[in-house]
C-alpha cells in the first residue's frame, strides 16, 4: 500500500478511539433495582435455570448470538506468520463484519501458541461461552487437524473460514460461470494452482456438488500432485493423479477451470491457449492474482475471470457467506456446519446472482451495471438480500440433515430476517399486505429514472401495482437490459410516451386547461406542461381516471413539483390545506413527524387538521397513534404565541377527536419519555413514547427530520402528502428505490382505503 493509504488506515484504527469495536449493554442499568436484577441476587435465577437445563442458556444469555473469532496469527491475510497479537486488527475486522452483515456479536480471541494441541485445548475449553467458533488465519496443514479435532470435541459449529468460506463462494461462482459457458459441473475438468487449506476445501465442496474426483488435478509449489508423491495428507492423496506430468503447463491442456489459490504471476499468458474453449480462470491469490484479469482476457476473450480483489468484477469474497452461514446455524441451534449446509449456502449465493441486482448495490458500487453475465457471476457483499436467502437455506439444510436443535418455520424465519435486515420492512409490512395483489394502477412521472424502474420491478414481483410509466419507449428499451430488469413494456407495464402517444396526451391538454388555466399557468404553456413536464402528465392521468394513484418528482426541486400537483389535483372535501407526513425507522421504533414540507406556519386549526390526517395515515401501518404536540413550552410553562398555538390545537383535537391519544404542548424529551411526562403532569393522555410528533412550524419539523435521519442513518418513509382528494406523492431528490417502493405500497393502500 502507498503511504497515504497506510496513514489513513492507521488513523482509522486509532481515532476517535483505538480499535473497531466495543461492548454495549442490552439492558438498562440506571438504579439499584436494575443492579439487583443484572447481578446479585437476581442473576441467581437464570443461573439455576441453566444448571437444570443447559439449553436455557439460549433463553437467558447472549450465547445463542455470540461467536468467537479465533486465530494464532500463523497465516494472516497476505502477511504470513505475524503472530497472535499482530493479528488482532484482522480479527476485530472480522468481528465487525459479523455484526454489520448478520447482527452477530463476536469476541475476538488471539491464542499465543503455534502448538496445535495447546491451541485445540484452549479453544475447546471455551465452549460454554459461545454459540459458534470461527477459526481464522491458521496455516496449513495444522488448520486441518485443528478444525477436525475441535469439530469432534465441541457440540457447537466450528468453521475455518479460510477453507470453507472461500470454498462456498468459489462453488457458487463456478456453478454460475459454467451455466453462462453452457457447461455442466459433472463434465468439467479442473486444475488448481495451490493445494493448501482453501484450495482443498474448494475442490472437496465442488466434488460434493457433482464434480468427478477423477476430473481434478492439483498442483502446488512442488508441482503436480501425483500418486508417487510421498507424505501427502489423506485429503490431498484423494486427488493424486497417476501421471508422468510434473508441472502446471503440462496439466493445463483441455482444462475447463483454472483455480488459483497460490502466488502472484503463476499462470503465464502463453499457457492460456492450452485451456479448453470458454474456460473459467479463478485467479484468487491476494493482493496480486496468479494472472491479472486484463492480461487473461487479452489472451482469452472467451474466458470468465474472477479474482479476490474488489477493484475487478467477480470478486470472490468470504463475506458473501460466513456471516449468513453462522446466522442460519445459530438460529437453528445447529451442532455443526456440515457439507449439506455448505452446499445450500453455495446454491443460495448462485441463485441470488441470477436475480436483478438490488438498487442499494448499484449505489454502493458507483452505479455500475450489475447484470448476471460474465462480469457478474456472484452477488456483491452489500446486497441486502444475502441474509434472507442464505441463512434460511443453511437453517433448512441443518434441519434436513438432523443437526438442528431448534427447528424453524422457514417462511416465518425469512420474514423475520427481512425485518431485521431492512428496518423499514417491519413498519411497512401491514401496508404491503394491504396493497398486495390489488394490482393498483399507479402512474410514475419519472419513468426513465433507474430508481423508479428498480422500484417498479420490485412492486411487480410483490404483485402490488399495475405500473403506468411516463417515459420514452426508446430510452426504456435501452435501459431495461442494462439494468437487468425483467418486466416487458406494454405487457407488464403501460408506457405513456410523450413522443408518440398523442391519442392519450391530446385529451389531457384540454383537461389540464380546464384545471389549471386560472391557477397561474399561461395558456401558451398548457401543451408544453402536459408533454414536457412528467409530473403534470402523471397528475393528469390521475385526475382523468386513467390511473388510481401517482408518484411524481424525484429529479428536481421538491416544491416546484408540488406546485404542479396542487394545480392539478383538488384538495379533499373539507380540507383547508395539504400537509406532508414523514416517518423514521429508529432502533426504538417508528417515529412520524408532521408537517415536514408544506405549510410554513400553520394555525391552531391547521395543526389539528394535519394531526387528524396524520393519525389516519399512521393507522395504515398497523400502529395506534400516540400524538405529542411539540413546543419549547412544557404544559403551560410559557405563554408565547407558539406555545399558545399548540395549546389551542390540543383543545380543538380533544373536541373533534376525543378518542385520539394526544397531549401537549410539550418538549420533545417529554414526548419520548413516559417517566419524564409523569413527573411533569399526573394525567398524560397516553403511555409510552409518542410515535407522532406534531411541530409548531415547518422549520422545526424539517430540521428535526433531517437531523435525526442524518445522525442515525435511519431509513425515511415519505414524505406522504395528506389532504388531497386522490393519492399522489412527490418524491424528494434523495429518494432511493426502496423509498419509492414504500410510497408505491402506501399509495396502493390509500386507494384501497378510499374504495372501502
Amino acid at each position: 500500500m502507498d503511504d497515504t493509504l497506510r496513514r489513513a488506515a492507521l488513523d482509522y484504527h486509532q481515532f476517535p478511539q483505538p480499535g473497531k469495536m466495543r461492548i454495549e449493554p442490552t439492558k438498562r442499568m440506571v438504579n439499584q433495582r436494575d443492579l439487583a436484577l443484572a447481578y446479585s441476587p437476581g442473576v441467581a435465577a437464570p443461573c439455576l435455570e441453566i444448571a437444570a437445563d443447559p439449553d436455557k442458556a439460549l433463553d437467558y444469555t447472549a450465547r445463542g448470538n455470540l461467536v468467537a473469532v479465533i486465530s494464532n496469527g500463523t497465516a494472516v491475510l497476505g502477511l504470513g506468520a505475524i503472530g497472535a497479537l499482530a493479528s488482532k486488527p484482522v480479527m476485530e475486522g472480522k468481528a465487525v463484519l459479523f455484526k454489520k452483515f448478520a447482527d452477530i456479536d463476536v469476541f475476538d480471541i488471539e491464542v499465543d501458541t503455534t502448538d496445535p494441541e495447546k491451541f485445540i485445548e484452549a479453544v475447546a475449553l471455551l465452549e460454554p461461552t459461545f454459540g459458534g467458533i470461527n477459526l481464522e488465519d491458521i496455516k496449513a496443514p495444522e488448520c486441518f487437524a485443528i478444525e477436525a479435532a475441535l469439530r469432534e470435541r465441541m457440540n457447537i459449529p466450528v468453521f475455518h473460514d479460510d477453507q470453507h468460506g472461500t470454498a462456498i463462494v468459489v462453488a457458487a461462482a463456478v456453478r454460475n460461470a459454467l451455466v453462462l459457458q453452457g457447461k455442466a459441473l459433472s463434465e468439467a475438468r479442473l486444475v488448481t494452482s495451490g493445494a493448501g487449506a482453501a484450495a482443498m476445501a474448494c475442490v472437496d465442496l465442488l466434488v460434493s456438488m457433482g464434480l468427478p474426483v477423477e476430473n481434478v488435478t492439483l498442483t502446488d509449489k512442488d508441482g503436480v500432485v501425483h500418486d508417487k508423491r510421498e507424505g501427502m495428507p489423506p485429503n490431498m492423496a484423494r486427488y493424486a493423479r497417476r501421471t508422468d506430468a510434473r508441472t502446471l503447463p503440462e496439466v493445463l491442456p483441455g482444462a475447463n477451470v483454472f483455480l488459483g489459490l497460490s502466488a502472484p504471476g503463476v499462470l503465464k499468458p502463453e499457457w492460456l491457449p492450452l485451456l479448453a474453449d470458454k474456460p473459467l480462470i479463478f485467479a484468487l491469490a491476494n493482493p496480486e492474482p496468479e494472472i491479472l484479469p486484463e492480461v487473461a482476457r487479452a489472451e482469452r476473450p472467451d474466458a470468465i475471470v474472477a479474482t479476490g480483489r474488489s477493484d475487478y468484477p467477480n470478486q470472490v469474497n468470504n463475506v458473501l457467506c460466513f456471516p449468513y452461514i453462522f446466522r442460519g446455524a445459530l438460529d437453528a441451534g445447529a451442532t455443526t456446519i456440515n457439507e449439506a449446509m455448505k452446499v445450500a449456502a453455495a446454491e443460495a449465493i448462485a441463485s441470488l446472482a441470477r436475480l436483478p441486482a438490488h438498487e442499494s448495490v448499484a449505489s454502493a458500487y458507483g452505479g455500475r451495471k450489475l447484470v448476471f453475465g460474465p462480469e457478474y457471476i456472484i452477488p456483491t457483499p452489500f446486497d441486502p438480500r444475502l441474509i434472507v436467502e442464505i441463512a434460511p437455506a443453511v437453517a433448512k439444510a441443518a434441519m434436513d440433515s438432523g443437526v438442528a436443535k431448534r427447528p424453524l418455520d422457514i417462511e416465518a424465519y425469512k420474514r423475520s430476517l427481512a425485518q431485521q435486515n431492512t428496518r423499514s420492512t417491519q413498519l411497512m409490512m401491514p401496508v404491503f399486505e394491504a396493497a398486495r395483489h390489488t394490482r393498483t394502477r399507479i402512474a410514475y412521472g419519472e419513468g426513465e429514472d433507474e430508481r423508479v424502474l428498480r422500484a417498479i420491478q420490485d412492486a411487480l414481483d410483490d404483485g402490488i401495482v399495475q405500473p403506468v410509466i411516463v417515459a420514452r419507449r426508446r430510452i426504456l428499451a435501452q435501459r431495461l437490459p442494462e439494468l437487468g430488469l425483467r418486466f416487458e413494456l406494454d405487457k407488464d407495464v403501460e408506457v405513456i410516451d410523450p413522443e408518440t402517444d398523442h391519442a392519450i396526451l391530446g385529451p389531457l391538454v384540454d383537461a389540464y386547461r380546464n384545471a389549471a388555466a386560472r391557477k397561474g399557468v399561461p395558456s401558451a404553456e398548457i401543451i408544453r406542461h402536459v408533454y414536457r413536464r412528467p409530473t403534470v402528465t402523471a397528475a393528469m392521468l390521475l385526475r382523468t381516471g386513467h390511473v388510481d394513484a401517482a408518484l411524481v418528482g424525484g429529479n428536481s426541486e421538491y416544491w416546484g413539483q408540488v406546485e404542479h400537483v396542487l394545480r392539478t389535483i383538488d384538495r379533499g372535501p373539507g380540507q383547508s390545506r395539504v400537509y406532508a407526513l414523514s416517518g423514521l425507522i429508529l432502533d426504538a421504533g417508528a417515529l412520524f413527524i408532521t408537517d415536514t414540507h408544506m405549510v410554513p406556519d400553520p394555525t391552531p386549526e391547521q395543526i389539528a387538521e394535519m394531526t387528524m390526517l396524520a393519525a389516519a395515515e399512521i393507522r395504515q401501518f398497523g400502529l395506534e397513534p400516540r400524538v405529542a404536540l411539540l413546543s419549547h413550552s412544557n404544559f403551560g410553562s410559557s405563554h408565547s404565541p407558539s406555545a399558545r398555538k399548540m395549546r389551542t390545537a390540543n383543545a380543538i383535537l380533544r373536541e373533534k377527536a376525543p378518542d385520539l391519544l394526544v397531549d401537549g404542548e410539550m418538549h420533545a424529551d417529554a414526548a419520548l419519555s413516559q417517566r419524564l411526562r409523569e413527573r411533569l403532569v399526573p394525567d398524560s393522555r397516553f403511555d409510552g413514547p409518542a410515535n407522532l410528533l406534531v411541530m409548531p412550524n415547518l422549520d422545526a419539523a424539517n430540521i428535526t427530520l433531517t437531523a435525526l435521519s442524518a445522525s442515525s442513518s435511519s431509513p425515511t418513509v415519505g414524505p406522504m402528502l395528506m389532504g388531497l382528494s386522490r393519492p399522489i406523492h412527490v418524491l424528494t431528490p434523495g429518494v432511493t428505490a426502496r423509498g419509492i417502493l414504500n410510497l408505491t405500497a402506501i399509495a396502493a393502500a390509500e386507494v384501497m382505503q378510499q374504495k372501502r
Side-chain angles (χ1 to χ4, degrees):
M1 70 183 76
D2 60 31
D3 190 61
T4 300
L5 180 59
R6 177 180 175 275
R7 185 67 258 170
L10 293 175
D11 288 347
Y12 175 86
H13 283 79
Q14 186 175 3
F15 305 109
Q17 65 185 66
K20 296 192 285 283
M21 53 190 289
R22 66 184 181 189
I23 296 173
E24 293 184 351
T26 59
K27 302 293 191 296
R28 68 179 187 182
M29 194 174 294
V30 297
N31 55 36
Q32 184 64 34
R33 178 169 174 77
D34 293 341
L35 184 60
L37 293 172
Y39 199 53
S40 180
V43 74
C47 289
L48 292 172
E49 291 285 321
I50 294 168
D53 180 1
D55 286 342
K56 289 290 183 68
L58 299 178
D59 298 324
Y60 297 121
T61 76
R63 183 177 188 246
N65 195 50
L66 186 61
V67 166
V69 172
I70 305 181
S71 180
N72 63 1
T74 53
V76 180
L77 295 178
L79 304 176
I82 60 175
L85 182 59
S87 76
K88 188 171 179 64
V90 178
M91 302 311 120
E92 283 190 358
K94 194 66 174 279
V96 170
L97 295 178
F98 267 108
K99 188 66 178 177
K100 174 175 176 57
F101 290 105
D103 197 26
I104 293 172
D105 297 320
V106 168
F107 289 156
D108 66 290
I109 298 176
E110 293 72 38
V111 181
D112 193 13
T113 182
T114 58
D115 184 329
E117 293 303 320
K118 290 182 178 179
F119 186 92
I120 291 167
E121 191 64 24
V123 175
L125 294 174
L126 297 173
E127 182 169 347
T129 303
F130 297 102
I133 303 292
N134 183 96
L135 300 174
E136 193 77 16
D137 292 351
I138 303 169
K139 72 182 181 72
E142 290 92 329
C143 62
F144 301 117
I146 287 171
E147 186 190 42
L150 290 173
R151 284 167 61 93
E152 179 69 25
R153 287 184 59 173
M154 303 180 81
N155 202 37
I156 57 175
V158 177
F159 186 82
H160 186 207
D161 185 45
D162 299 319
Q163 295 180 59
H164 308 299
T166 300
I168 289 164
V169 182
V170 165
V174 167
R175 173 74 85 197
N176 277 347
L178 287 174
V179 167
L180 289 168
Q181 301 291 52
K183 299 177 181 179
L185 185 60
S186 60
E187 300 170 350
R189 182 167 165 259
L190 180 147
V191 173
T192 77
S193 173
M200 297 309 304
C202 288
V203 294
D204 283 347
L205 184 57
L206 286 168
V207 166
S208 71
M209 295 172 66
L211 176 67
V213 172
E214 59 271 19
N215 288 10
V216 176
T217 302
L218 305 180
T219 73
D220 61 11
K221 60 183 177 58
D222 297 319
V224 175
V225 175
H226 56 87
D227 61 343
K228 302 292 194 301
R229 184 187 285 198
E230 297 181 355
M232 290 183 290
N235 62 337
M236 181 184 290
R238 177 189 185 191
Y239 300 103
R241 299 272 67 82
R242 181 176 295 178
T243 177
D244 294 329
R246 293 296 183 265
T247 65
L248 176 59
E250 291 180 83
V251 294
L252 284 177
N256 305 106
V257 184
F258 169 81
L259 176 60
L261 286 152
S262 55
V266 167
L267 185 62
K268 306 301 180 185
E270 58 268 26
W271 298 344
L272 296 184
L274 300 172
L275 297 171
D277 182 54
K278 297 181 179 180
L280 315 186
I281 300 173
F282 282 49
L284 305 182
N286 256 330
E288 188 72 18
E290 285 80 2
I291 189 169
L292 290 171
E294 58 267 30
V295 176
R297 290 196 189 93
E299 187 66 42
R300 291 300 302 262
D302 60 336
I304 292 178
V305 184
T307 72
R309 287 173 42 160
S310 60
D311 54 343
Y312 288 107
N314 299 329
Q315 182 194 16
V316 173
N317 190 331
N318 291 10
V319 79
L320 283 170
C321 68
F322 72 79
Y324 317 115
I325 289 172
F326 271 96
R327 181 74 279 159
L330 291 173
D331 292 338
T335 57
T336 187
I337 294 174
N338 59 24
E339 205 70 10
M341 295 160 73
K342 290 184 280 186
V343 170
E347 297 288 7
I349 293 169
S351 296
L352 183 55
R354 295 193 287 268
L355 298 177
H358 195 272
E359 178 264 347
S360 64
V361 173
S363 298
Y365 285 81
R368 194 175 83 205
K369 306 305 178 190
L370 302 174
V371 179
F372 181 57
E375 294 195 347
Y376 184 66
I377 57 175
I378 45 177
T380 60
F382 289 98
D383 194 317
R385 299 168 297 183
L386 286 164
I387 191 170
V388 180
E389 297 300 323
I390 300 173
V394 170
K396 184 177 186 301
M399 293 158 55
D400 293 346
S401 59
V403 299
K405 295 196 298 183
R406 306 174 75 186
L408 299 166
D409 178 328
I410 294 299
E411 290 306 314
Y413 181 47
K414 282 187 174 183
R415 291 193 295 270
S416 172
L417 290 172
Q419 291 173 10
Q420 296 173 35
N421 187 46
T422 304
R423 287 174 289 171
S424 61
T425 301
Q426 186 170 11
L427 175 68
M428 292 298 302
M429 189 169 291
V431 180
F432 275 94
E433 288 300 321
R436 191 162 283 123
H437 308 305
T438 61
R439 307 295 292 167
T440 304
R441 291 176 60 80
I442 298 182
Y444 295 85
E446 297 292 343
E448 296 171 12
D449 188 291
E450 177 180 338
R451 299 166 298 175
V452 170
L453 294 172
R454 290 189 182 280
I456 287 172
Q457 180 70 74
D458 290 339
L460 286 168
D461 291 343
D462 271 350
I464 63 175
V465 67
Q466 288 182 289
V468 177
I469 307 177
V470 180
R472 294 164 292 179
R473 279 187 184 81
R474 59 184 177 84
I475 301 299
L476 293 178
Q478 176 184 332
R479 300 220 72 191
L480 296 184
E482 290 177 351
L483 299 174
L485 301 178
R486 307 183 306 279
F487 63 81
E488 296 182 32
L489 302 181
D490 301 314
K491 177 183 177 183
D492 300 314
V493 304
E494 179 184 353
V495 179
I496 306 296
D497 187 343
E499 294 181 339
T500 60
D501 292 332
H502 306 301
I504 295 175
L505 294 177
L508 297 185
V509 172
D510 292 333
Y512 184 58
R513 181 176 290 109
N514 293 334
R518 293 182 179 273
K519 294 180 180 178
V521 181
S523 180
E525 294 290 309
I526 295 291
I527 295 177
R528 191 174 69 86
H529 277 205
V530 171
Y531 274 83
R532 298 290 182 87
R533 296 188 184 277
T535 292
V536 172
T537 311
M540 286 306 303
L541 291 171
L542 176 59
R543 181 182 177 91
T544 57
H546 192 89
V547 296
D548 305 307
L551 300 183
V552 299
N555 280 331
S556 55
E557 191 266 329
Y558 183 84
W559 249 104
Q561 305 310 306
V562 167
E563 288 179 348
H564 291 310
V565 169
L566 297 181
R567 292 188 187 111
T568 309
I569 305 299
D570 298 328
R571 292 196 295 268
Q575 300 299 322
S576 69
R577 295 294 297 265
V578 175
Y579 312 97
L581 174 70
S582 298
L584 289 163
I585 295 79
L586 305 171
D587 291 338
L591 184 66
F592 291 87
I593 301 171
T594 193
D595 167 24
T596 55
H597 288 78
M598 296 298 295
V599 183
D601 189 15
T603 65
E605 291 75 18
Q606 290 166 348
I607 292 283
E609 183 176 62
M610 75 169 72
T611 300
M612 289 186 286
L613 288 169
E617 195 76 40
I618 289 173
R619 290 192 180 98
Q620 287 199 106
F621 294 87
L623 301 174
E624 182 60 31
R626 299 187 300 273
V627 186
L629 304 175
L630 296 193
S631 171
H632 71 282
S633 169
N634 246 339
F635 303 104
S637 64
S638 170
H639 297 288
S640 69
S642 171
R644 290 200 305 270
K645 175 167 69 175
M646 303 308 281
R647 207 172 301 147
T648 303
N650 191 21
I652 296 170
L653 285 166
R654 292 200 179 198
E655 178 182 346
K656 290 189 173 183
D659 295 330
L660 183 63
L661 301 178
V662 58
D663 210 345
E665 79 284 11
M666 69 177 79
H667 290 173
D669 55 357
L672 300 175
S673 169
Q674 180 177 346
R675 184 172 299 181
L676 180 55
R677 281 200 311 280
E678 288 173 347
R679 289 209 305 266
L680 294 169
V681 293
D683 57 349
S684 178
R685 293 287 304 278
F686 59 86
D687 295 328
N691 55 20
L692 172 58
L693 305 183
V694 180
M695 300 292 182
N697 55 54
L698 187 147
D699 283 347
N702 194 270
I703 290 169
T704 301
L705 172 70
T706 53
L708 283 175
S709 178
S711 63
S712 63
S713 300
S714 299
T716 303
V717 177
M720 296 160 270
L721 290 180
M722 307 181 298
L724 289 166
S725 60
R726 298 169 184 265
I728 183 168
H729 301 292
V730 177
L731 307 176
T732 60
V735 71
T736 64
R738 179 71 198 189
I740 297 170
L741 179 62
N742 285 343
L743 279 171
T744 295
I746 289 167
E750 289 171 342
V751 171
M752 292 302 101
Q753 180 66 26
Q754 284 190 351
K755 288 181 178 179
R756 285 193 293 269

